[in-house]
Amino acid sequence: MKIKKIICLLLAFTVVFAVSGCGKKNGVTILPPEYDSETMYSFPESQVLADAGDYTLSFDGKYGSPVIKSTVSEKEWSVLPADFLDKWNYEFGTPISQSQIFIKIYDPTYESFFTINSSDAVAQDRIKVEEITNGLRITYFFDEYKISVPVYYTVTENGLSIKVSAGEIEEHEFPVMSVAVAPFLCSAKNTTDKDHYLLIPSGSGALMYTDERGTVRQYEEEVFGVDMARENKWLYTNSEQIYLPVFGAVDGDSAMYGIISSGVESSSIGAHVGNTDAGYSGVYPIFHIRSYNNVEIDIGGTTGLKTFLRLAEDRNLITFEAQYRILSGEDASYSGMANAYRDYLGLESGVKNKQINISLLGGVMANRSALGIPYKVFSPTTTFNAAEKIVNELYSQNKTAMNIRLLGFGKTGLDVEKLAGGFAFNSRLGSKSDIKAFNSAANKSGSLVFADYDVLQFSKSGNGYSKRVDVTVDTTDYRVKKYKIDISLRNVDESAKISYLLDRSNIANAVDDAIEATNKTSIKGISLSTLGVMAYSDFSNEKYFGKLNMAGDVSEALKKVNAAKLNLATASSNVYAAVLSDYIDCIPTKSSNLSVFDVDVPFYAMVFSGCKENAVSVNLSSLPRKEFLNALKTGAGLSFVIADDINEDALASMNSVYIAASYDYNKQLINDYLTESREFLNKVSGVSVKQHNILDNGLSQTVFENGVTIYVNESVEDVTYNGEVIKAMSFNWR
Amino acid sequence: MLFSLILCVFTTSVSASSFENVPFESFSYWNSSTKPVPVKSMFTFEGEITAKNFGLEEALKTPSDIYIDDKYLYLLDSDNSRVIIADKKTYKMVSLISDLEFEGETLGFRKARGVYALNGNVYICDTENERLIICDINGKVSRVLTCPESDIIPEDFLFQPSRLVSDSKGFYYLICSGCFYGAMRFDSNFNFLGFYGANVTSTSVADIFSNITDKLFNNNEKISGQAKKIPYQFVDLSVDTSDFVFTVTDSGATGQIRRLNPGGSNVYKVLSGGKYATSDNSFFGINGSIKRTFETEKSTFVSVTVDKNGFIYAVDAKFGRIMVYDKYGVMLCAFGGGLEEGSNKGTFKKPSSIHIDGDLLYVVDSLKHSVAVFRVTDFGKKLAIASALTNNGEYEESKEYWRQILVEDANCQAAYNGLAKAMLTTGEYNEALKLAKMGKNTDLYGDAFVKVRSEFFENNFYLVLGAAAFVLLAISAFLVIKRKKNIVIFKDKTVLNAVGACVHPFTAFKNLKDNKRKHIIIASVFIFLFFLVTLLNDFFKGYMYGYVDVASYNALFTFLGTSGLALLYIIANWGVCSIQSGKGKMYEVYVAVAYSLVPIIIYRLFTLIISNVMTEEEAFFLGVFNIISLIFAGFSLVVANMEIHEYDFFKVLKTTVIIILGMGLIIFLLFMVIVLIQQVITFGQTIYNELLLR
């Protein structure tokens, strides 16, 4: 009888589970079949629809295109360039880049993505234009796939706003993955003139000149980096992430730039350059409506692992917004955009940089063997006593205060094991009195000390964080595993340790714990390097889909550090963390270095110059002199990574930070570089960059708000400019 | 930064890649290991040369080769059938060679693969048209060379020139596509002299076995239908300042880079496993699985160039990496990349040619239709200077450079070796010993060790002599006292039997069987010692004999390979002999096998001591001792089996074969059990994960 009951119960459970699995098909939400493919819409007459401040928004009835106009400069910017519209021939179809919007959709049959554009919708009167307050709502219909996408265009005092609400998109069997809006709004004419270019915010910032070179150069990168909750087990490309969600186009004496202001974490920035058909090159935002993951399954045979796409169950439910602003005259340049974006962020100059900044490397976990029985032991590379000695020596040598970050001082050194290194210093680095002595030595010199905590990654449970429960999950509800990449193969190093990402809901708790741990010491600063730069989804909760709310969550967590009256340091941080930081270390000095880019510009550094303490890492580069010059370009401080004792364990750890971290070497380097630049750095301390120009032959010019100008020559030969000789790999300033 | 985070941050919380201002990561392999070691880059990306730089309207189309002399840069724009000659400093075009005229015929050279220039002549390897075109820089053709007539050139030989170089004595070396006879050597008038330096094929035991079975069981038709093992062909070559020819092959398990002397023999010695050996048996480049498949990919070298310091630069088309090796076969760095995608600056889609000219390194990418230019970094310059000083024997002067290099890049293996060499020649032997160990150079360590030892003996001669005399006297005294006082060391006969087994095996094993003179504890100690001395040998033998990677060493495997194997033999022996009418009991087999191991244990202990006082060359006799110990152990085992199981010699041989098969069967069964257990554990884990995460 008992067995019968158990069988019945099991059957009942099975039925319940089976039924609860219905209603969803492959992660696609099925909407009621209400798609209207019959109604034809006619464009309204051309007319001005709204105005605000110095701008008007009108609608071009002939081509169905919204147009924004600056009443000051009389310059018009259309979703499609006016002179391009005249030669547009619907009959021959249009490339994607010549459309008002284009969308990426998922084909469940072939398990692949493909892109379609709105050209046909416009040509066949299948766009619906509705007037709204201060603008218009245009719905684009993609009849073949039964998809409609409404886009809001509104004029504001500052310019134009374009919004897409993910919840309003109508879809049936083809899920919409992303919507790219207005690929031609922020655009510049194709020409060989160097005053026509696109600003790409990749890493430090890069320019793409708009000359035609036979093939169209295309670009697309996710804002704040690829979603770390997505499997990426091999990498073709070295990339710097987008730290600032801002892009722009300079078209001679006028310019437009865009800022993604909502849904930024789930957006990308794309660009197409040198399209000979269009005659224009454009940069635009791409809003990701839905997230996905690459799931690897071993299908055996010689094929081995095959990657399958698995979509998130729900859309990234948010209203995406990009704001566009117009610049003209002298401001129509990437410098003008940097200044305007600085204002947008509400940053104020007057914050003086520390000329020398150091990161001390605490230690590593070393592999040992007792007659073949392996074990691990912590191997210190900079103890607190050594740190005290270094700080005292550097201060007596340079007579300047420093920002000092303590990296790898946790229980497991630089190795990722327990979260935040167990929220405590390794006792082998020194006693409490050693810490106190080091801190007071630093304070005496006016230096600030920051204890670094990695509050996102861990590979071992402990301190209340379980690697089984408190971790981020992917679209298939499995824990997101992060692997080390073998640098030679650019493939996963299977032999290396796997780590996990802390679930998004626990980030604030981890920061609380870091604050508590710091408060137990005499140190008054926290460094949260990884928190400031890493953005990822957590598919356990729909509010974290598509990396959404990462900026908000991190900002809230960082505000706790401010509230605890602790100083905050980050490194190469995304904009949301950078604006809350007291000190930004290792600011990016290069872009992704993609072949499609023409030249790197210090856009990131320009935005924060004079407003946030920031520094460029010098000594670990293969080109330390170049990094030194990069720092001078924007008046950034000089940052050095130092270890007191680079022992065999440090080398065996294969950690590239150690290869040039020798204290003796860096002591000399600091002295040399500071002697060479001290006067200049004093002059521009706390002053923002007004303008940066790229001149010929490897020469660049930076003008600061106080009129100080520096010429930096990065070439291997001396350059003469305006009768002044600037030596190779050197600088002149006045 | 993002890349660097993905790349490194998941094992450590900070990474240097984020600080790197070159658009690629640089790494090296120490001693042919497969673990990449991050190093400072020797080169940085300078820029890209396209048709625009030459002032040409038409874009480059599949450029395939580049050559640079004192004045000009010669670029073979293959699919456009043209050679662009430009000023090497400004890249301003000075001449464009296309549509050549010769004896009333127009010579196109589409798909040509090589270009070379010498004394005002330009040489175009017109591969598909099977000719070498010689013209001046204005395109005036002076000669067209076709396949020379010679008895040593096979009739079916295809003369498809792909690369040409010459040495300072006026000899030309020409590579033909598909030719596995080596390079063709010509004199200064292009008279064919013969083939030069062909790669060799290696033959394994399996190959020999396969040949024998083919001859025995296959008919001629089948044999002729099988693929023959032929040497890999050269794909590029370069001549160094001493007129030695560096060659590179695109595939092959080992020896892709070779340095050929005038006789065509490979004289390139490389550091592998801490020792120098010719490059024939060394693998160059990258070897591993990419793109998440199970298939292993290997570097495919397509071009090589050598600079005045003897640095060798080889470009690999599979991974897009440029590998730099020094004269002594130490890998300095690998950079570039692209994995046939080449999205970043300084990475490649399909590199086809490489050429070094002073501080600039040029790499032609035939799919990017451009030439990537790299400039040596300050660090790279220091490395070049230090190497040059070492090569010239200016060791004292080289020291400071090597020291500077080490503080800038603590992972530079060449610097440890260079500094160790300098210390050795300037009499700082202990420092040299330490540095050679850090540089994992066992040969150099051995040299330093000899010096340190000599120094020790010189300084402590009387002490050593006194100690030796004391030991001899002590032993003599002991023997005399033992004889006079009739001292018996081993009173217990079972102990005496155990100790004497290695000297008198017949007597000992007979006593074991007939008189039950067994000592289980001593036997167990012997079996354990077998494992222990092997372990001690691995960890504490002299460094010049090799080193152990502590991180990957697993004592369990050593146990399985020593004591475990002995125990497996004991079980299999007992099992097999029980059904083969053997009279031996389990404990007898156990004790006999343990006693038989004594010669090996003694040999390994001896090696452990000798290896710490003598170099490998001095201790050449160890190899002989090893063989003797193995023969002795084997002999003891045979005797033991004969005595214990009461077998004759031939029965022992027969059962030994069955025992070995039995051991294999036991291993197979164990393996099956382990797999089964693993599956059960995985099943349990899956259930647990499902319950936890659902």
Side-chain angles (χ1 to χ4, degrees), chain A residues 234 236 238-240 243 414 457 487 490-491 494 586 590 592-593 595 617 621-622 627 655 659, chain B residues 1 3 10-13 19-21 25 29 35 40-41 289 291-292 321 343-345 408 410-411:
Chain A
W234 45 271
Y236 276 141
N238 291 352
S239 58
E240 279 283 322
Y243 303 100
L414 291 169
Q457 303 174 101
I487 55 171
R490 305 187 68 73
N491 198 0
E494 301 279 6
C586 308
K590 67 175 169 64
S592 286
N593 261 311
S595 299
S617 175
S621 168
S622 288
E627 293 295 4
N655 197 325
I659 64 175
Chain B
M1 181 71 187
F3 164 71
F10 296 107
T11 48
T12 58
S13 53
F19 310 107
E20 197 54 274
N21 210 330
E25 66 281 346
Y29 294 118
K35 274 268 182 237
K40 273 216 167 181
S41 185
S289 159
K291 300 181 193 173
R292 304 292 296 149
R321 303 281 189 187
S343 317
N344 291 104
K345 289 173 181 172
E408 286 186 41
N411 280 344

Side-chain angles (χ1 to χ4, degrees), chain A residues 232-236 296 305 483-496, chain B residues 3 6-7 25 36 286-297 319 321 339:
Chain A
N232 280 297
K233 290 193 171 178
W234 45 271
L235 298 165
Y236 276 141
E296 279 188 338
L305 297 167
Y483 300 86
K484 188 187 176 194
I485 299 286
D486 180 310
I487 55 171
S488 60
L489 300 166
R490 305 187 68 73
N491 198 0
V492 168
D493 182 354
E494 301 279 6
S495 64
Chain B
F3 164 71
I6 291 169
L7 211 61
E25 66 281 346
I286 305 169
N287 182 2
S289 159
I290 55 171
K291 300 181 193 173
R292 304 292 296 149
T293 62
F294 291 144
E295 284 187 69
T296 299
E297 303 276 5
F319 296 87
R321 303 281 189 187
L339 286 166

Side-chain angles (χ1 to χ4, degrees), chain B residues 47-329:
Chain B
E48 209 170 56
I49 305 174
T50 60
K52 210 170 145 187
N53 297 80
F54 301 121
L56 289 167
E57 287 276 310
E58 193 178 2
L60 301 176
K61 204 170 173 189
T62 326
S64 58
D65 197 16
I66 191 167
Y67 182 75
I68 297 158
D69 63 17
D70 295 343
K71 282 170 84 174
Y72 301 126
L73 174 153
Y74 306 79
L75 180 65
L76 178 60
D77 189 11
S78 190
D79 278 5
N80 281 327
S81 185
R82 62 187 185 180
V83 174
I84 299 156
I85 303 173
D87 183 286
K88 75 173 188 180
K89 283 188 178 162
T90 61
Y91 305 133
K92 197 178 166 190
M93 193 171 71
V94 294
S95 178
L96 185 69
I97 298 176
S98 63
D99 295 333
L100 298 168
E101 294 285 335
F102 185 64
E103 294 176 348
E105 194 190 342
T106 305
L107 307 178
F109 47 88
R110 215 173 152 265
K111 305 274 179 203
R113 290 197 201 160
V115 67
Y116 183 67
L118 185 71
N119 301 330
N121 283 331
V122 180
Y123 303 83
I124 302 164
C125 297
D126 188 4
T127 316
E128 295 219 334
N129 295 312
E130 301 181 13
R131 64 197 175 193
L132 177 75
I133 302 169
I134 306 168
C135 62
D136 66 14
I137 65 162
N138 297 314
K140 191 179 172 192
V141 180
S142 56
R143 189 171 172 183
V144 174
L145 185 80
T146 54
C147 186
E149 287 185 6
S150 168
D151 293 340
I152 55 172
I153 297 178
E155 276 181 20
D156 59 349
F157 182 75
L158 278 176
F159 183 73
Q160 293 187 317
S162 57
R163 293 285 157 90
L164 177 81
V165 290
S166 72
D167 63 18
S168 66
K169 298 190 176 60
F171 291 106
Y172 289 92
Y173 302 87
L174 180 72
I175 294 177
C176 285
S177 178
C179 168
F180 47 84
Y181 304 108
M184 297 178 88
R185 181 148 59 170
F186 296 88
D187 67 11
S188 54
N189 290 320
F190 272 100
N191 294 312
F192 178 62
L193 300 175
F195 289 105
Y196 170 80
N199 278 328
V200 288
T201 53
S202 57
T203 306
S204 63
V205 178
D207 292 330
I208 296 167
F209 185 71
S210 169
N211 281 342
I212 293 167
T213 51
D214 280 348
K215 281 186 181 167
L216 286 173
F217 304 112
N218 283 348
N219 57 31
N220 288 343
E221 206 174 325
K222 272 190 176 174
I223 293 169
S224 63
Q226 287 173 350
K228 282 180 185 167
K229 201 170 186 179
I230 53 172
Y232 293 106
Q233 56 166 316
F234 297 149
V235 288
D236 196 15
L237 70 184
S238 181
V239 177
D240 69 10
T241 49
S242 314
D243 279 344
F244 282 74
V245 180
F246 276 94
T247 62
V248 67
T249 47
D250 56 356
S251 47
T254 53
Q256 303 103 307
I257 300 174
R258 301 167 79 212
R259 185 180 186 233
L260 305 178
N261 65 12
S265 302
N266 182 20
V267 292
Y268 188 37
K269 294 246 172 129
V270 301
L271 192 62
S272 179
K275 300 184 188 307
Y276 290 105
T278 60
S279 67
D280 288 332
N281 295 318
S282 288
F283 176 77
F284 291 87
I286 305 169
N287 182 2
S289 159
I290 55 171
K291 300 181 193 173
R292 304 292 296 149
T293 62
F294 291 144
E295 284 187 69
T296 299
E297 303 276 5
K298 284 180 182 172
S299 287
T300 307
F301 290 106
V302 289
S303 188
V304 67
T305 183
V306 56
D307 70 12
K308 62 178 193 281
N309 297 313
F311 286 4
I312 301 126
Y313 306 82
V315 62
D316 153 35
K318 173 63 69 183
F319 296 87
R321 303 281 189 187
I322 298 159
M323 317 273 178
V324 190
Y325 299 89
D326 76 0
K327 204 173 174 177
Y328 306 100

Side-chain angles (χ1 to χ4, degrees), chain B residues 569-610:
Chain B
Y569 175 83
I570 290 161
I571 294 164
N573 183 306
W574 178 74
V576 169
C577 293
S578 297
I579 53 171
Q580 289 284 319
S581 317
K583 303 281 186 282
K585 297 191 170 72
M586 177 65 129
Y587 70 82
E588 288 169 348
V589 177
Y590 179 79
V591 172
V593 170
Y595 289 0
S596 303
L597 292 172
V598 172
I600 300 174
I601 294 167
I602 292 170
Y603 162 75
R604 292 191 180 172
L605 268 175
F606 183 64
T607 307
L608 183 63
I609 297 160
I610 292 296

